[in-house]
């Protein structure tokens, strides 16, 4: 490790230590106990005294007593919503001085008795069974209060007074089912809150007169507005809205869960157009009834943004194009119409101020905004989750949008056919979301030239073509969840800094990725079927060389898929030896080992003369086998000697001093023609006599013998055919090596025998002599009949 690396290493360790200490500290300061949904009927007694956050929501607790929570002196957050508490004495919390957050919503509270709770920031008493507003005098001292949730069936101006002087961030007021019988419209006048959310009783026709225009409110949210019976629109509701005009501070209005008619819906829009409201959002709308044509008055508005989410129209024949026209000509900057089943939208009739259009989750087709030049200011367009089919049509649709920088056409069924139409995107486009479509490799031939952010995840891309136009501005590319088999280099994307390519089919990512992609800050390549073989080592190594926060989800998402034996192993833990990977090294190692082995074998052979031993053993076993096959008795009857020995006079010393003592000592009888000489017969006759009475004939071969003696026997052998093919009466002992050339060419038999190596070689080393003699004895040893022996001796 270099000095530099070392200091970076130290720095990293210190950093990790600091991080750990910080985590410990923050863990120490928060002790969360979650006993929600556990069927509790009482506050459990076994709670840690250190508890700071206690969640007992969604149980069946019906009572709360001082003793239950007395000891939890550090309790800061207490959630006991969705239980069955009917009565609460706030003084049960008098020992929980730290309590800041108390959620008692969705109980059955009818009554509370109060106690000052100075530190409380969040108090939720909404969705309970209170009749009157549960605001006691003591609430007046809760100066920290940021959120107050209330519920009531009757409102009285006087009940708000105790908190009139507070500046509450948000008040949620849930009106009970029987609200509205005796209403005081002015009840909320003294409420001092920035945000007010009123939940009307659900399912009830709106005939409320409560004035919701609290003078301090900037945000107003109204839930559960149902007015379907009033043929003239929503008279009561419109009166409520009318009063909002008094409050010039109001900037955000949200309506949730509305059931009304098309006419009163448009009237509501029209009404809001002329208030101080800047952000108007409506969600969960059910519309019915007819729509009368009226001109929409766009003048004199503060509105910047309108959002419609989840609109269901229960009528099927209504003038759609009229509605599209109302929306497309709105003089606002931000328009969202999502989850509405809208099938079309028309081009604004003049240059539109729209900067942002979100038409996601509808039923729009490729025909939307065809040849539309009036969206010249549009910066962001989302057509996510519609029914777009041809990329070429999308290009055509956006061609005239000169300011368009962000386009989201994800989650459609877009495809791109290279042969259809031109591919000229609007030059302004910087971010394009084409994810979750059915695009293939060809899409790379049709991308906006200045694009910086490109999302192509979840398509059908198999490879990124090499010859694509250079996208030099591209910084962020997401091609996750495709079928890519290779990790692309940055040849065509010289600015790429974020690449997301997880969930593909990459098994062998190339190791030079980081070399090619110098600007990469984030690579997410996990969940690919990595093939853990030698090639992958280089890639893993290259991952190790970049900063750890560059590789996202490392190491957990990077697992071996193949081979089977490594399946599930994290890449981080994958090890394979240098030897099995480096072919050159492997070859060298095998070569060296083989060479060493060969040398050892040669050495052994030279040292121990292994081939000699092998031959000896082989001959021994052959002798044994043959001995078993010979019909012994017949032989035994005629034989007097175990062997006849013939040798050259030059070798007689060896025969007398070595051979005879060693062979005869075991009772083996040898016929020597000079020793067992029968007088009156020629030498040759004596020799032949000897041969015929012996079980075997031994010839001691040496150059001398070959030169001087062999000729005698050649003739004899030829004549008697005694030594015919396969006969094993003959034993040749090679006393000295005989060079082939020294054998006269007429000695065919000898040559053949030498060539077959059917001789016993006299070993020069003394250590081998024992085996030699044993072998020789074994080959001539046979049990001779004593009688025959005697006879022969008498003959002698
Ligand atoms: C009003 O709503 C918009 C959009 O949701 C939000 O950005 C803005 O902060 C809200 N204004 C206030 C005063 O809360
Ligand atoms: C593209 O749209 C998908 C949803 O369809 C979203 O999850 C993704 O974050 C978007 N990509 C970008 C770069 O905004």
């Amino acid at each position: 490790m270099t000095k530099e690396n070392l200091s970076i290493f130290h720095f990293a360790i210190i950093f990790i230590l600091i991080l750990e200490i910080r985590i410990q500290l923050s863990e120490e300061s928060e002790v969360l106990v979650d006993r929600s949904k556990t069927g509790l009927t009482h506050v459990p007694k076994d709670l840690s005294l250190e508890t700071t956050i206690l969640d007992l929501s969604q149980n069946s607790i019906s009572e709360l007593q001082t003793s239950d929570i007395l000891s939890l002196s550090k309790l800061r957050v207490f959630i006991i919503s969705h239980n069955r508490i009917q009565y609460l004495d706030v003084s049960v919390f008098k020992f929980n001085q730290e309590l800041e957050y108390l959620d008692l919503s969705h109980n059955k509270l009818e009554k509370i008795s109060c106690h000052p709770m100075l530190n409380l920031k969040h108090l939720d008493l909404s969705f309970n069974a209170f009749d009157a507003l549960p605001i006691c005098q003591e609430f007046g001292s809760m100066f920290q209060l940021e959120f107050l949730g209330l519920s009531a069936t009757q409102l009285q101006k006087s009940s708000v007074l105790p908190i009139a002087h507070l500046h509450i961030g948000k008040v949620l007021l849930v009106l009970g089912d029987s609200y509205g019988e005796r209403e005081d419209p002015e009840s909320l006048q003294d409420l001092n809150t920035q945000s007010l959310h009123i939940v009307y009783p659900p399912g009830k026709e709106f005939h409320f007169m409560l004035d919701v225009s609290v003078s301090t409110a900037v945000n107003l949210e109204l839930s559960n507005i149902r007015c379907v019976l009033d043929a003239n629109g929503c008279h009561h509701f419109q009166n409520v809205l009318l009063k909002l005009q008094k409050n010039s501070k109001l900037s955000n209005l949200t309506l949730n869960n509305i059931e009304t008619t098309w006419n009163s819906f448009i009237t509501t829009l029209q009404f809001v157009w002329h208030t101080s409201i800047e952000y108007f959002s409506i969600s969960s709308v059910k519309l019915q009834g007819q729509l009368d044509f009226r001109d929409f008055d766009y003048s004199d508005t503060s509105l910047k943004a309108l959002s419609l989410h989840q609109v269901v129209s229960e009528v099927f024949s209504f003038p759609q194009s009229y509605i599209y026209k109302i929306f497309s000509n709105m003089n606002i900057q931000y328009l969202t119409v999502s989850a509405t089943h809208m099938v079309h939208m028309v081009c604004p009739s003049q240059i539109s101020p729209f900067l942002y259009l979100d038409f996601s989750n509808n039923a729009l087709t490729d025909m939307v905004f065809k040849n539309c030049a009036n969206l010249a200011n549009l910066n962001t367009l989302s057509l996510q989750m519609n029914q777009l089919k041809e990329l070429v049509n999308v290009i055509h649709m956006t061609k005239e949008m000169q300011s368009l920088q962000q386009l989201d056409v994800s989650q459609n069924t877009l495809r791109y056919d290279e042969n259809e139409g031109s591919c000229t995107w609007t030059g302004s486009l910087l971010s394009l979301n084409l994810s979750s479509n059915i695009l293939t490799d060809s899409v790379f031939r049709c991308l906006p030239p200045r694009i910086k952010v490109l999302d192509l995840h979840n398509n059908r891309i198999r490879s990124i073509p090499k010859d694509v136009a250079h996208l030099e501005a591209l910084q962020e590319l997401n091609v996750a969840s495709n079928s890519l088999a290779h990790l692309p280099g940055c040849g065509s994307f010289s600015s790429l800094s974020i690449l997301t390519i997880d969930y593909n089919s990459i098994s062998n990512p190339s190791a030079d990725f980081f070399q090619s992609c110098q600007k990469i800050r984030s690579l997410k390549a996990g969940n690919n079927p990595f093939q853990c073989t030698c090639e992958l080592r280089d890639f893993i190594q290259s991952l190790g060389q970049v900063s750890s926060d560059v590789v996202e989800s490392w190491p957990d998402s990077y697992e071996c898929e193949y081979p089977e034996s490594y399946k599930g192993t994290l890449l981080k833990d994958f090890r394979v030896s240098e030897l099995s990977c480096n072919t050159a090294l492997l070859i060298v190692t095998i070569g060296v080992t083989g060479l060493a082995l060969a040398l050892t074998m040669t050495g052994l052979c030279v040292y121990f003369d292994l081939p000699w031993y092998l031959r000896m053993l082989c001959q021994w076993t052959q002798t044994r086998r043959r001995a078993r096959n010979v019909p012994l008795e017949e032989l035994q009857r005629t034989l007097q000697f175990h062997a006849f020995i013939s040798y050259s006079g030059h070798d007689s010393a060896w025969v007398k001093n070595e051979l005879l003592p060693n062979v005869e000592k075991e009772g083996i009888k040898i016929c020597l023609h000079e020793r067992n000489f029968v007088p009156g017969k020629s030498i040759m006759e004596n020799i032949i006599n000897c041969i015929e009475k012996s079980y075997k004939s031994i010839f001691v071969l040496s150059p001398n013998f070959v030169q001087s003696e062999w000729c005698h026997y050649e003739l004899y052998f030829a004549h008697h055919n005694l030594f015919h093919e396969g006969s094993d009466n003959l034993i040749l002992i090679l006393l000295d090596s005989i060079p082939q050339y020294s054998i006269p060419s007429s000695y065919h038999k000898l040559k053949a025998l030498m060539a077959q190596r059917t001789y016993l070689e006299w070993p020069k080393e003394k250590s081998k002599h024992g085996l030699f003699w044993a072998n020789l004895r074994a080959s001539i040893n046979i049990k001779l009949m004593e009688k025959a022996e005697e006879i022969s001796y008498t003959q002698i």
Side-chain angles (χ1 to χ4, degrees), residues 205-259:
E205 188 70 11
F206 196 98
H207 50 68
F208 312 111
M209 286 172 319
L210 181 65
D211 182 357
V212 296
S213 64
V214 174
S215 58
T216 53
V218 178
N219 293 305
L220 178 63
E221 187 170 346
L222 303 175
S223 298
N224 301 335
I225 298 153
R226 181 188 147 96
C227 43
V228 292
L229 300 178
D230 188 346
N232 299 323
C234 209
H235 183 66
H236 287 281
F237 182 57
Q238 273 146 31
N239 278 338
V240 169
L241 291 181
L242 203 60
K243 289 184 191 145
L244 292 181
Q245 279 173 330
K246 285 189 300 189
N247 176 5
S248 58
K249 270 188 160 180
L250 191 64
S251 114
N252 284 15
L253 175 64
T254 304
L255 305 179
N256 295 316
N257 213 1
I258 307 172
E259 216 181 325

Side-chain angles (χ1 to χ4, degrees), residues 116-180:
M117 300 274 293
L118 301 180
N119 287 329
L120 222 50
K121 289 182 179 161
H122 182 108
L123 173 60
D124 197 347
L125 298 167
S126 64
F127 296 99
N128 273 292
F130 296 111
D131 224 6
L133 279 175
I135 300 174
C136 6
Q137 288 300 327
E138 286 82 350
F139 282 15
S141 57
M142 298 196 287
F143 289 100
Q144 311 277 333
L145 207 59
E146 286 163 9
F147 176 91
L148 177 60
L150 299 167
S151 62
T153 53
Q154 296 179 36
L155 302 181
Q156 274 165 350
K157 201 174 164 186
S158 57
S159 36
V160 179
L161 286 175
I163 53 170
H165 60 285
L166 301 179
H167 299 285
I168 305 173
K170 178 167 183 179
V171 171
L172 165 64
L173 174 56
V174 179
L175 300 173
D177 282 345
S178 56
Y179 172 77

Side-chain angles (χ1 to χ4, degrees), residues 527-543:
N527 294 297
N528 272 295
F530 294 110
Q531 187 167 6
C532 286
T533 56
C534 295
E535 290 87 76
L536 199 67
R537 275 183 346 150
D538 299 340
F539 175 69
I540 298 173
Q541 253 166 27
S542 71
L543 290 188

Side-chain angles (χ1 to χ4, degrees), residues 384 408 410-411 433 435 453 455:
Q384 186 186 105
D408 183 349
S410 62
Q411 299 187 59
N433 197 338
S435 65
V453 178
D455 193 341

